[in-house]
Amino acid sequence: MPTSDWPELCNGIPKLGRLARQEPALGAVLVWAEVTQSEHLNCPLLATTVLAGQDRKLLVDQVGQFLTPTNQKAGRLKLRRRLELYAARLAARCDAAPRGTFGPGTSAVSAVWSTIGAV
């Protein structure tokens, strides 16, 4: 997820607190899981060497907490709905893109995302 998208997704949501000030990795994992309809633990971001062991564990814990039904209140619920819309639009654009558009070294998000203002 481009770093500029995360603050825009969080913008205007009261009671989001420090969650809005975090790195966009949390949003990237959640969007990846939604777009691929896969378990968040399979997200390639969690498998990269960019994340040290402790950072990976923290991110996995944050995603788990975010997805816990009892934590789906107020700001988190609104953010989750925005992330689902973001993911749906991204998935639709990826599905509609010509074959070969997203080759090696290409980010599907940066190549197709332009609807954040509508969220």
Side-chain angles (χ1 to χ4, degrees), residues 8 11 21 23 33-34 36 43-44 46 56 61-62 66 70 76 80 84 87 91 96 99 107 113-116:
E8 289 187 50
N11 188 31
R21 295 184 299 272
E23 291 296 314
E34 187 70 26
T36 62
C43 179
L46 296 174
R56 182 187 186 284
D61 288 347
Q62 288 171 337
F66 190 87
T70 56
R76 284 178 181 246
R80 184 160 187 188
E84 288 170 353
R99 185 176 175 91
S107 167
W113 183 250
S114 67
T115 57
I116 189 70

Side-chain angles (χ1 to χ4, degrees), residues 10 12 16 20 27-28 39-41 45 50 58-59 62 68-70 72 80-81 83-84 95 103 113:
C10 296
L16 203 52
E39 177 67 33
H40 68 275
L41 294 172
L45 179 62
V50 173
L58 178 62
L59 182 56
Q62 288 171 337
T68 301
T70 56
Q72 299 298 306
R80 184 160 187 188
R81 289 184 179 143
L83 288 167
E84 288 170 353
D95 290 344
W113 183 250

Side-chain angles (χ1 to χ4, degrees), residues 20-97:
R21 295 184 299 272
Q22 291 179 350
E23 291 296 314
L26 172 65
V29 172
L30 293 167
V31 168
W32 180 90
E34 187 70 26
V35 168
T36 62
Q37 293 295 293
S38 183
E39 177 67 33
H40 68 275
L41 294 172
N42 295 326
C43 179
L45 179 62
L46 296 174
T48 64
T49 56
V50 173
L51 294 174
Q54 186 63 24
D55 291 338
R56 182 187 186 284
K57 182 182 178 335
L58 178 62
L59 182 56
V60 168
D61 288 347
Q62 288 171 337
V63 171
Q65 288 175 14
F66 190 87
L67 295 174
T68 301
T70 56
N71 291 334
Q72 299 298 306
K73 299 175 187 166
R76 284 178 181 246
L77 184 58
K78 187 165 186 165
L79 178 59
R80 184 160 187 188
R81 289 184 179 143
R82 287 183 181 184
L83 288 167
E84 288 170 353
L85 178 60
Y86 182 104
R89 289 179 177 171
L90 177 60
R93 289 200 173 186
C94 288
D95 290 344

